[in-house]
């Protein structure tokens, strides 16, 4: 009868030492906060991507399009045009 009481007391001490000093709000994570940051990052990426894309010459645009089209084609991947 002494062993279960000691185990229960040890578990309680372990839990209390693990969570000591934390407030109740630290236990819960806000869902809306990361979603807002993700949207902001995507907006920044979209603007950067569009500015990069608009700076390409017509030859570079054609090369990028050709590479994107042949991305999963084994024969194309072995050509020097893919590795440009």
């Amino acid at each position: 009868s002494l062993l279960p009481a000691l185990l229960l007391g040890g578990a309680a001490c372990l839990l209390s030492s693990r969570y000591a000093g934390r407030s109740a709000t630290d236990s819960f994570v806000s869902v809306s906060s990361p979603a807002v940051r993700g949207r902001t990052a995507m907006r920044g990426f979209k603007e950067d991507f569009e500015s990069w894309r608009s700076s390409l010459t017509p030859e570079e645009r054609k090369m990028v399009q050709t590479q994107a089209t042949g991305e999963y084609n084994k024969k194309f991947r072995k050509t020097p045009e893919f590795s440009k």
Side-chain angles (χ1 to χ4, degrees):
S1 75
L2 185 59
L3 182 63
L6 287 174
L7 289 175
L8 184 62
C13 287
L14 181 67
L15 285 175
S16 66
S17 67
R18 182 173 174 100
Y19 294 109
R22 290 188 181 179
S23 66
T25 58
D26 289 345
S27 301
F28 298 100
V29 178
S30 174
V31 176
S32 63
S33 180
V36 172
R37 280 186 265 148
R39 283 190 218 124
T40 304
M42 283 302 294
R43 285 190 194 128
F45 172 77
K46 184 178 179 181
E47 292 167 355
D48 291 343
F49 181 76
E50 288 175 352
S51 68
W52 167 80
R53 193 171 180 200
S54 65
S55 70
L56 293 174
T57 64
E59 295 84 22
E60 290 172 329
R61 285 184 192 184
K62 184 179 177 189
M63 182 182 68
V64 169
Q65 182 62 39
T66 305
Q67 288 175 340
T69 304
E71 180 73 25
Y72 297 109
N73 184 344
K74 282 186 178 181
K75 290 180 183 177
F76 177 76
R77 290 179 70 98
K78 293 179 182 178
T79 63
E81 189 173 341
F82 175 75
S83 60
K84 287 184 181 178

